[in-house]
């Protein structure tokens, strides 16, 4: 079964063709970073306009790279939410019209389900059930995953997402956007123990996260040490990253232990972080857990993960109606209501 995936929830226009839900025939991602970086963050209006320009060439390229024509497609999966409505609408409306014209079934996919299913695009996919830590620019949450289309949220961030914290710290240090890769590269040159930032473990709701206190801690350190930006940038980045990694790793393994799962997964844009990947792998080996982390190319937003998820809906005849609409927040998810 050949499924075309389309993703346009934020600032990446992506299309991919997958065979039987796991074999990637093509995966094209057109990033808009150059458009948004002068503004220090994603500008929704500009994002929608960029998607409009990119959607047709990106889908064309995905079909060509997969060496198929549109008539060879068996189904289509497209991100329905959560995300920026103006951005989502571009991919979603395109997908509706394309599927209608081709007379093929199509389905709307929850972007977070997509990230979780990205671990099935690895040569050694996990067995159900497993606990997944999803860390991205918009979300930080733990899920107990029991099937491709079923996951229960165990906890989530009460304020900033982990990726958002990386982006904000980068901004505070006067570095560029998006901050994840910039901070992670800088952190590699610093000493993670030189400056200690608090870890928010939130004992009462042990699977929830909070990163706004850490962000304030970094802000306060910079304000109290006005010369630090010349000399200590790498140590600040390293100390900040160490705090995020400690909390994420601790909570993932506590959640896995609670659910009695021997497999854990790390997904989402922040899963590209080397220090986090290494820590999770090291802890998994030490505690005897199986660990599943997608390659870096599949951590950030992409359409292969959307097609991979869509395959499981289409296979069981779960399709969408022409009047379906996009949704900006998790709550409104029509299929994956276990995400609420
Ligand atoms: O999953 P994603 O591509 O988009 C969302 O769904 O949000 O995640 C983007 C986030 C951004 O906040 C970015 O700064 C962060 O992932 N990120 C990283 C790294 N690469 C990207 N954070 C930490 N370390 C990285 N290497
Ligand atoms: Zn994402």
């Amino acid at each position: 079964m050949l499924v075309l995936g389309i993703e346009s929830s934020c600032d990446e226009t992506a299309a991919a063709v997958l065979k039987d839900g796991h074999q990637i025939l093509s995966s094209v991602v057109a990033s808009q970073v150059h458009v948004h970086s002068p503004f220090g963050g994603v500008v929704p209006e500009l994002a929608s306009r960029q998607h409009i320009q990119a959607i047709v060439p990106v889908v064309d390229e995905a079909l060509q790279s997969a060496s198929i024509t549109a008539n060879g497609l068996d189904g289509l999966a497209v991100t329905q939410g959560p995300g920026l409505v103006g951005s989502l609408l571009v991919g979603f409306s395109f997908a509706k019209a394309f599927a209608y014209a081709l007379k093929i079934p199509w389905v709307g996919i929850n972007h977070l389900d997509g990230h979780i299913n990205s671990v099935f695009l690895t040569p050694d996919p996990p067995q159900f059930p497993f606990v997944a830590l999803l860390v991205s620019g918009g979300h930080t949450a733990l899920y107990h995953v029991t099937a491709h289309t079923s996951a229960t949220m165990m906890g989530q961030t009460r304020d900033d997402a982990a990726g958002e914290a990386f982006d904000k710290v980068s901004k505070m240090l006067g570095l560029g956007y998006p901050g994840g890769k910039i901070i992670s590269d800088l952190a590699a040159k610093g000493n993670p123990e030189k400056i200690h930032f608090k870890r928010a473990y939130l004992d009462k709701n042990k699977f929830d996260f909070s990163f706004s206190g850490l962000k304030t801690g970094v802000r306060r350190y910079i304000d109290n040490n006005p010369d630090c930006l010349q000399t200590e940038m790498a140590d600040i980045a390293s100390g900040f990253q160490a705090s995020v990694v400690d909390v994420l790793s601790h909570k993932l393994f506590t959640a896995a232990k609670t659910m009695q799962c021997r497999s854990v997964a790390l997904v989402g844009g922040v899963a590209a972080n080397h220090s986090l990947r290494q820590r999770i792998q090291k802890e998994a080996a030490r505690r005897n857990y199986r660990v599943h982390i997608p390659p870096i190319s599949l951590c950030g937003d992409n359409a292969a993960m959307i097609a991979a998820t869509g395959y499981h809906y289409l296979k069981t005849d779960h399709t969408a109606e022409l009047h379906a609409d996009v949704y900006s927040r998790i709550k409104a998810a029509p299929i994956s209501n276990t995400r609420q």
Side-chain angles (χ1 to χ4, degrees), residues 113 128 144-152 313 338-339:
D113 284 342
F128 296 110
H144 182 232
V145 187
T146 50
H148 288 284
T149 54
S150 175
T152 307
Y313 285 109
T338 49
R339 291 268 175 279

Side-chain angles (χ1 to χ4, degrees), residues 42-309:
V42 178
V43 182
E45 172 72 22
L46 294 181
S48 317
R49 287 168 189 263
Q50 285 294 121
H51 285 305
I52 287 170
Q53 284 181 14
I55 188 80
V56 171
V58 163
V59 169
D60 264 347
E61 196 184 328
L63 293 173
Q64 273 177 33
S65 308
S67 303
I68 61 158
T69 62
N71 289 324
L73 292 171
D74 300 301
L76 195 157
V78 58
T79 306
Q80 190 169 5
L84 299 170
V85 165
S87 290
L88 287 162
L89 274 172
V90 177
F92 201 65
S93 308
F94 176 91
K96 266 187 195 181
F98 205 45
Y100 185 74
L102 293 170
K103 298 189 174 62
I104 55 172
W106 70 287
V107 65
I109 297 300
N110 180 308
H111 181 82
L112 309 177
D113 284 342
H115 275 301
I116 293 171
N117 276 289
S118 64
V119 277
F120 292 96
L121 297 172
T122 58
D124 175 31
Q127 306 271 317
F128 296 110
F130 61 93
V131 170
L133 171 63
L134 190 160
V135 264
S136 73
H139 300 89
T140 296
L142 281 162
Y143 295 96
H144 182 232
V145 187
T146 50
H148 288 284
T149 54
S150 175
T152 307
M153 187 192 279
M154 299 175 66
Q156 65 177 322
T157 184
R158 304 231 193 126
D159 38 60
D160 293 348
E164 200 178 350
F166 272 87
D167 295 336
K168 286 179 178 167
V169 166
S170 177
K171 213 170 183 172
M172 281 179 213
L173 295 177
L175 306 170
Y177 171 86
K181 172 106 177 55
I182 297 169
I183 293 293
S184 127
D185 289 350
L186 184 62
K189 297 179 199 146
N191 175 357
E193 278 153 27
K194 188 144 174 241
I195 307 166
H196 183 87
F197 293 110
K198 270 196 185 153
R199 276 77 171 139
Y201 288 111
L202 300 173
D203 287 340
K204 280 190 199 125
N205 288 311
K206 58 182 181 177
F207 301 128
D208 278 356
F209 301 88
S210 167
F211 294 107
S212 76
L214 170 61
K215 187 185 66 188
T216 312
V218 175
R219 170 87 271 156
R220 202 173 299 132
Y221 186 87
I222 297 171
D223 290 347
N224 293 341
N225 301 275
D227 298 331
C228 71
L229 292 187
Q230 264 77 49
T231 54
E232 290 182 290
M233 289 250 266
D235 293 333
I236 296 172
S238 206
F240 157 78
Q241 181 176 270
S243 168
V244 176
V245 168
D246 272 359
V247 173
L248 292 177
S249 167
H250 173 84
K251 297 222 172 197
L252 172 59
F253 288 102
T254 311
K257 193 173 172 197
T258 305
M259 300 315 290
Q260 298 182 325
C261 286
R262 300 308 303 173
S263 293
V264 296
L266 174 67
V267 296
V270 183
N273 184 282
H274 281 293
S275 173
L276 180 61
R277 296 170 81 93
Q278 270 176 3
R279 171 70 72 81
I280 303 281
Q281 264 150 357
K282 204 172 116 196
E283 284 297 312
R286 192 173 72 78
R287 300 168 192 238
N288 207 16
Y289 282 85
R290 289 173 68 86
V291 63
H292 303 271
I293 309 177
I296 288 176
S297 59
L298 294 173
C299 290
D301 290 346
N302 66 85
M305 67 186 196
I306 303 301
T309 313

